[in-house]
Amino acid sequence: MSDKEKRMTTAAGIPVGDNQNSQTAGPRGPVLMQDHHLMEKMAHFNRERVPERVVHAKGAGAHGVFTVTGDISGYTCAKLFSKVGNQCEAFARFSTVAGELGSADTVRDPRGFALKFYTEEGNWDMVGNNTPVFFVRDPLKFSDFIHSQKRDPATGMRDNTMQWDFWSLSPESLHQITTLFSDRGIPATYRHMNGYSSHTFSLWNEKGERYWIKWHFKTVQGIKTLTEEEGAKIAGEDPDYHRRDLEDAIKRGEYPQWKAYVQIMPEQDAETYSIHPFDLTKVWPHGDYPLIEVGVLELNRNPENYFAEVEQAAFEPSNLPPGMGASPDKMLQARLLSYPDAHRYRIGINYTSLPVNKPKCPMHTYHRDGQTRFDGNAGGAVNYEPNSFGGPTEDPSAKEPPLRISGDADHYDHRDGNEDYSQAGALYRLMSADQKAQLIGNLVNAMKDVPREIQVRQAIHFYRADPDYGQGVADGLGIPVSEISK
Ligand code: NDP
């Protein structure tokens, strides 16, 4: 670096003469307004934080590569999947959900599992969780659910009563609660957990055939978890434990990998399949739709600047290159709007031009201007369409096949025809005796101080999923089984 390059400047490039002493009237005198360098430094510092994400605030990220290992080109015309061996760069961000930016990593919470694949036809974002299902199935209940998990408006503290009040009145949450309070509710590290799209998405091919799909990213490192006690101890000693683990593993050259699988359902099956295929509280049993191996994701490069690459990373489930599509899942439909909307609010309308979010293929839009436009704003290129000056035009081959939709517009009860118990029960029954004991112990611990009326209402749900499950929780809370076995 030349002496000139090392010279400190203001943001306007003006050399700074003194970065140790403010300009004052006399050695003990007050600071002068004209000390522009001091004013700029303080003003910039005051604006260093962008609003933290309202959910998934605390996270860690890394760059990597995705390699296609299985042929699904019959199901999708997405160029990424045109042949085995194709690769693209990727970026992953893992997170907790409810805690704030400085909260501890090793708490009981679902983990965000957000992936960005920089494909040659634009970014594909797989914005999932480490759980295959979610707490609610109607987006109208999402903000209520999150409020119940966040801080009590009166005390500013998190409150088990709020959580269990909402959950016990929302039995569709039972499957996800069973996952969350199981051993998998506190992953040992971000490297030792699976990721799931949870939502149903779609693939479509050149013939215009559509398939409903679910993504699974299974950890090659194996599932490892922490007990409640281990998590609490680590949270006190190193709140950034998961962030540090990911960074250190990559530094050591131990690049974490996930094998990507897809479950594929022909479009017509959705009409007759016994499980509502667009219900986010349900999985598709592997026996019905087996996992098909598609690729491998490897993370091999740490961010060089956390804020630029992780805090400003913006994932959106609406990022789906041609050959991939959404589904009628109501929660997904709402997220298609709410994710980009959150980014526009949090980091500004031009967030897609930030290096971590920018596609690595050519990008030609007619969007112009807006706050903090920093990329040349397309220079003098024509800014309307149609035009006579050779501006970019649409490509009909990118159009998704038509989707047949019918029905009268109404507020349909999302509980009609959707039972909430069988899959929660199936999950309970596949657990080992030790996992069952951990699940019940974790639940009893979390529920022990909530009002009895709420305990009973929730224990009835556990009993309906599996009598043994309900009895275990009831025994732990001192509730006679006769009160819940209705
Ligand atoms: P399968 O036996 O075919 O699949 C069981 C799945 O459950 C495996 O993917 C396994 O993941 C996962 N699993 C195993 N033990 C646990 C545990 N203690 N906690 C959480 N997940 C676990 O059965 P089905 O497909 O019929 O599913 C049965 C139940 O398994 C479902 O009701 C659901 O709760 C749960 N499940 C199902 C998934 C699916 O997509 N079908 C995905 C994840 C869970 P792994 O191989 O990584 O251990």
Side-chain angles (χ1 to χ4, degrees), residues 41-201:
K41 222 171 150 176
M42 289 195 305
H44 196 277
F45 179 73
N46 285 349
R47 290 162 180 78
E48 274 184 3
R49 298 286 170 272
V50 295
E52 67 176 41
R53 292 164 167 89
V54 65
V55 284
H56 296 278
K58 174 78 187 290
H63 301 267
V65 64
F66 180 71
T67 307
V68 176
T69 56
D71 183 11
I72 53 165
S73 60
Y75 302 104
T76 175
C77 54
K79 291 228 169 106
L80 174 62
F81 297 112
S82 64
K83 61 176 194 311
V84 169
N86 282 357
Q87 288 195 317
C88 74
E89 289 180 53
F91 182 76
R93 182 177 182 273
F94 309 119
S95 53
T96 51
V97 181
E100 292 87 359
L101 204 49
S103 58
D105 287 341
T106 54
V107 295
R108 187 167 302 287
D109 207 6
R111 297 302 188 278
F113 196 104
L115 308 177
K116 190 181 284 295
F117 302 90
Y118 304 92
T119 87
E120 63 184 287
E121 285 196 310
N123 293 346
W124 164 38
D125 291 356
M126 210 289 309
V127 199
N129 279 330
N130 71 331
T131 60
V133 292
F134 196 64
F135 298 94
V136 293
R137 62 165 77 92
D138 191 304
L140 206 50
K141 300 319 297 170
F142 180 78
S143 57
D144 294 309
F145 161 63
I146 294 295
H147 284 175
S148 75
Q149 307 297 303
K150 291 268 192 179
R151 293 176 183 277
D152 181 317
T155 64
M157 291 188 274
R158 290 185 70 185
D159 179 15
N160 284 340
T161 296
M162 290 166 65
Q163 300 183 3
W164 289 104
D165 190 27
F166 181 87
W167 280 335
S168 64
L169 292 166
S170 312
E172 66 272 24
S173 59
L174 191 64
H175 193 184
Q176 177 76 321
I177 289 173
T178 306
T179 310
L180 178 62
F181 285 87
S182 78
D183 54 333
R184 295 199 185 187
I186 314 181
T189 79
Y190 286 139
R191 298 178 293 132
H192 293 94
M193 62 183 196
N194 292 342
Y196 304 89
S197 64
S198 315
H199 297 292
T200 298
F201 283 86

Side-chain angles (χ1 to χ4, degrees), residues 132 175 184 194 216 218 283-286 423 427 430 435:
H175 193 184
R184 295 199 185 187
N194 292 342
H216 301 248
K218 289 206 177 206
V283 295
W284 300 349
H286 297 160
Q423 291 201 347
L427 177 57
L430 67 73
Q435 286 174 317

Side-chain angles (χ1 to χ4, degrees), residues 2 25 49 91 162 165 196 215 276 354 358 394 401 406 418:
S2 69
R49 298 286 170 272
F91 182 76
M162 290 166 65
D165 190 27
Y196 304 89
W215 291 106
H276 182 353
L354 293 166
K358 197 174 165 173
E394 68 214 17
S406 64
N418 281 319

Side-chain angles (χ1 to χ4, degrees), residues 163-340:
Q163 300 183 3
W164 289 104
D165 190 27
F166 181 87
W167 280 335
S168 64
L169 292 166
S170 312
E172 66 272 24
S173 59
L174 191 64
H175 193 184
Q176 177 76 321
I177 289 173
T178 306
T179 310
L180 178 62
F181 285 87
S182 78
D183 54 333
R184 295 199 185 187
I186 314 181
T189 79
Y190 286 139
R191 298 178 293 132
H192 293 94
M193 62 183 196
N194 292 342
Y196 304 89
S197 64
S198 315
H199 297 292
T200 298
F201 283 86
S202 58
L203 295 178
W204 49 273
N205 63 21
E206 264 140 18
K207 289 186 248 168
E209 296 160 338
R210 177 182 283 106
Y211 300 87
W212 304 120
I213 58 145
K214 282 183 187 283
W215 291 106
H216 301 248
F217 285 76
K218 289 206 177 206
T219 169
V220 173
Q221 293 67 242
I223 298 271
K224 280 194 192 158
T225 61
L226 297 173
T227 63
E228 196 87 9
E229 295 71 30
E230 289 166 335
K233 182 168 182 291
I234 296 170
E237 291 167 353
D238 183 4
D240 301 324
Y241 182 76
H242 284 168
R243 192 183 276 181
R244 194 182 315 284
D245 172 82
L246 184 64
E247 161 108 8
D248 287 353
I250 293 175
K251 263 192 202 147
R252 290 194 302 270
E254 285 173 32
Y255 301 143
Q257 292 188 337
W258 285 263
K259 280 194 179 169
Y261 299 84
V262 66
Q263 286 180 289
I264 301 184
M265 176 190 290
E267 183 172 6
Q268 303 74 2
D269 282 21
E271 285 159 31
T272 52
Y273 187 43
S274 57
I275 296 165
H276 182 353
F278 309 123
D279 176 354
L280 185 55
T281 68
K282 301 283 192 309
V283 295
W284 300 349
H286 297 160
D288 294 347
Y289 295 97
L291 299 186
I292 299 170
E293 193 177 325
V294 179
V296 61
L297 170 71
E298 177 180 276
L299 299 181
N300 53 24
R301 182 161 61 88
N302 281 317
E304 285 175 16
N305 184 283
Y306 183 85
F307 181 85
E309 293 157 69
V310 186
E311 194 60 12
Q312 293 196 121
F315 301 87
E316 41 199 299
S318 38
N319 278 348
L320 296 160
M324 311 176 88
S327 83
D329 175 340
K330 295 172 194 181
M331 288 291 290
L332 172 60
Q333 293 280 322
R335 289 178 79 210
L336 298 178
L337 168 74
S338 71
Y339 276 63

